[in-house]
Amino acid sequence: MQIHVVKRNESLTTIARTYHTTVQDIIEANDLPNPNNLVIGQALVIPIIGHFYFVQPGDSLYSIARKFGVPYQELATVNRINPNQPLNVGFRLYIPQGSKRDAEFNAYVEPRGTTVAPVLESSAREAAPYLTYLAPFSFQARRDGTLKAPLLNNFPAIAKANRNVLMMVINNQENDQFNDELGRILLNDTAIQDKFLNNIVATANKYGFRDIHFDFEFLRPADRVAYNRFLRKAKQRFSRQGWLMSTALAPKTSATQKGKWYEGHDYKAHGEISDFVVIMTYEWGYSGGPAMAVSPIDQVRRVLEYAVTEIPANKIMMGQNLYGYDWTLPFVQGSVAKAVSPQQAIQLAASHNVPIQYDTKAQAPFFRYSEAGKQHEVWFEDARSIQAKFDLIKELNLRGMSYWKLGLAFPQNWLLIVDNFNVTKRGT
């Protein structure tokens, strides 16, 4: 895949001609919401094998070859040039596709209410070919050790058809809020804990879950050791069934980080006990806070660089949002930003005729617009921001990526997965 950022006066016709492809191929690859009204700064994926690179000042064939991990002699041969000739700025080089490593991908899907919205099942069907795990969110633990089940509908069948491992997500929520007292009971009362594990095993066997995933949050700091002890007990039980066990972790940058979202999570212990972990590296920009990137890569990197000092890299899945937010400015405490998909964000920029900017520190796109006398700021994800995360996965040699959550369209993401990785399939 080639990532192209739209410039002033460019059209799909001129872009297609640049990369020797067709307008229709670009429209289909990006599921373009604005084919006749491209936005300056909009990122497009161009469906070609390998990609093109335009020579920049200071480049040489050797430096370009090193950058892309291709022997310079091969680069010269492919482009039919002399390996010793100087390169003019703007000269177009074709970079052949390199080898791809294996990686695992998970996506949570969150049915709410009394029925599963058709868009959620449709989104799961579209994503499942690119996933290792499919995770309906979530089973809620009760204080007596029983479970409140989510709506599952056709998710087990979708997982089976696409060789996804069906992930049983279990959390300590009451009334849709994480509850530390519920966590205390489950982690410390042996009788209730045994009943809880029995119910998990019975439910997993009933529906075909093969990974048991604990998302226990907002735990009392005093229950950190009890959580580790519970996980060891659960792991032994699930291993007898031949199942995996995984956990979700808050995004920490040190072992001594304070706060109830962090102190109950022992990175080193989870890395030893669990088969893998999902680190929730998103929601720096959140619906109830000021406008900023949801998962700025500088912050994501800080968390993951600490994580690999405590947890084997091949057990770490980077958390990644599939959405952005539209904030009304100025930010007022108590106000709530509106969630938007990358597709909706592009439509907003096009309809208001405003350019999309790109924050190089956060590695995230954003724009501002005015409506009904109010200023708005939108941060979202695009091909550039997700490619930056994929590059970090490869740099740190992580297990893969876990998405929160299906339901908001981001077609570029799925194309870039297969351009970067071989998706591991564990299902039968």
Side-chain angles (χ1 to χ4, degrees):
M1 293 289 168
Q2 174 86 34
I3 297 175
H4 177 87
V5 180
V6 176
K7 303 177 185 66
R8 187 177 300 277
N9 298 324
E10 283 190 322
S11 67
L12 286 178
T13 300
T14 60
I15 294 168
R17 189 180 301 129
T18 298
Y19 297 108
H20 295 174
T21 187
T22 69
V23 167
Q24 191 58 36
D25 282 348
I26 297 174
I27 291 173
E28 290 178 0
N30 295 272
D31 193 14
L32 272 182
N34 61 329
N36 299 315
N37 186 22
L38 297 180
V39 178
I40 296 171
Q42 177 180 352
L44 301 173
V45 290
I46 312 298
I48 58 175
I49 298 172
H51 63 279
F52 291 105
Y53 177 79
F54 296 87
V55 174
Q56 304 296 310
D59 279 342
S60 67
L61 190 68
Y62 181 70
S63 68
I64 295 168
R66 283 192 62 188
K67 179 177 181 178
F68 293 104
V70 180
Y72 77 94
Q73 300 94 332
E74 180 184 346
L75 207 53
T77 301
V78 167
N79 287 278
R80 299 179 181 177
I81 59 175
N82 187 314
N84 299 313
Q85 78 175 60
L87 300 176
N88 294 324
V89 172
F91 182 76
R92 188 182 71 178
L93 285 172
Y94 175 72
I95 312 296
Q97 188 173 41
S99 59
K100 297 187 290 186
R101 51 154 282 196
D102 296 342
E104 295 189 357
F105 292 86
N106 171 57
Y108 299 100
V109 56
E110 186 183 30
R112 286 181 170 269
T114 57
T115 59
V116 174
V119 67
L120 291 184
E121 284 201 358
S122 174
S123 182
R125 291 184 198 280
E126 291 171 5
Y130 309 97
L131 300 176
T132 312
Y133 309 92
L134 180 63
F137 189 91
S138 62
F139 286 81
Q140 293 185 5
R142 292 189 174 117
R143 297 188 182 205
D144 62 356
T146 59
L147 293 165
K148 178 184 176 183
L151 297 170
L152 294 176
N153 283 46
N154 291 313
F155 296 128
I158 293 169
K160 184 175 182 180
N162 289 277
R163 296 173 54 217
N164 304 142
V165 171
L166 194 63
M167 180 185 285
M168 185 179 181
V169 183
I170 306 166
N171 66 32
N172 61 316
Q173 286 188 349
E174 287 184 337
N175 301 316
D176 294 327
Q177 299 292 323
F178 287 98
N179 187 287
D180 59 348
E181 176 61 14
L182 173 58
R184 183 195 68 78
I185 293 168
L186 294 169
L187 299 178
N188 292 281
D189 188 313
T190 302
I192 290 176
Q193 193 176 99
D194 289 341
K195 182 179 178 182
F196 180 45
L197 290 172
N198 288 339
N199 282 322
I200 292 171
V201 171
T203 303
N205 277 317
K206 178 180 178 181
Y207 292 106
F209 289 102
R210 290 180 47 227
D211 174 65
I212 313 301
H213 181 75
F214 291 106
D215 179 21
F216 279 19
E217 302 183 38
F218 199 64
L219 297 173
R220 300 186 314 160
D223 287 329
R224 174 188 179 113
V225 173
Y227 191 20
N228 295 344
R229 186 168 55 242
F230 166 76
L231 290 174
R232 288 189 180 94
K233 181 178 178 179
K235 175 59 179 166
Q236 288 181 347
R237 183 77 182 270
F238 303 149
S239 292
R240 292 199 295 268
Q241 300 283 336
W243 301 335
L244 300 170
M245 189 191 78
S246 58
T247 57
L249 292 173
K252 297 172 64 168
T253 55
S254 76
T256 57
Q257 190 163 338
K258 299 299 182 183
K260 287 186 71 171
W261 293 108
Y262 309 105
E263 291 179 72
H265 288 174
D266 183 336
Y267 270 35
K268 186 174 181 62
H270 283 246
E272 292 170 353
I273 302 164
S274 302
D275 289 291
F276 64 92
V277 301
V278 171
I279 301 182
M280 295 177 281
T281 41
Y282 44 79
E283 291 287 287
W284 276 269
Y286 65 103
S287 60
M292 65 177 291
V294 178
S295 53
I297 198 164
D298 55 329
Q299 300 300 324
V300 172
R301 176 182 284 278
R302 286 183 64 223
V303 170
L304 295 175
E305 286 184 342
Y306 160 65
V308 297
T309 69
E310 300 275 18
I311 303 169
N314 64 4
K315 285 189 173 186
I316 296 173
M317 296 187 80
M318 175 197 294
Q320 174 63 38
N321 51 295
L322 284 173
Y323 56 87
Y325 289 115
D326 179 347
W327 284 269
T328 302
L329 302 180
F331 169 71
V332 177
Q333 195 68 45
S335 64
V336 178
K338 178 184 177 182
V340 294
S341 71
Q343 302 299 85
Q344 290 167 334
I346 292 166
Q347 285 178 305
L348 268 174
S351 64
H352 291 280
N353 194 30
V354 293
I356 294 170
Q357 302 177 63
Y358 195 73
D359 186 304
T360 54
K361 181 181 179 183
Q363 289 287 300
F366 70 99
F367 61 89
R368 300 182 181 94
Y369 72 95
S370 180
E371 185 175 75
K374 294 282 189 180
Q375 289 293 116
H376 289 253
E377 185 167 317
V378 179
W379 289 82
F380 64 108
E381 301 296 320
D382 70 4
R384 293 168 292 181
S385 66
I386 203 68
Q387 182 61 55
K389 306 292 176 46
F390 289 162
D391 290 343
L392 186 56
I393 286 173
K394 288 182 274 191
E395 177 189 337
L396 298 179
N397 202 26
L398 305 183
R399 187 184 190 96
M401 181 172 279
S402 177
Y403 294 101
W404 179 261
K405 54 186 176 173
L406 297 178
L408 292 173
F410 187 11
Q412 294 177 339
N413 172 74
W414 313 112
L415 292 177
L416 287 169
I417 282 179
V418 295
D419 192 52
N420 283 270
F421 303 102
N422 299 312
V423 177
T424 301
K425 290 289 187 178
R426 289 181 171 271
T428 55

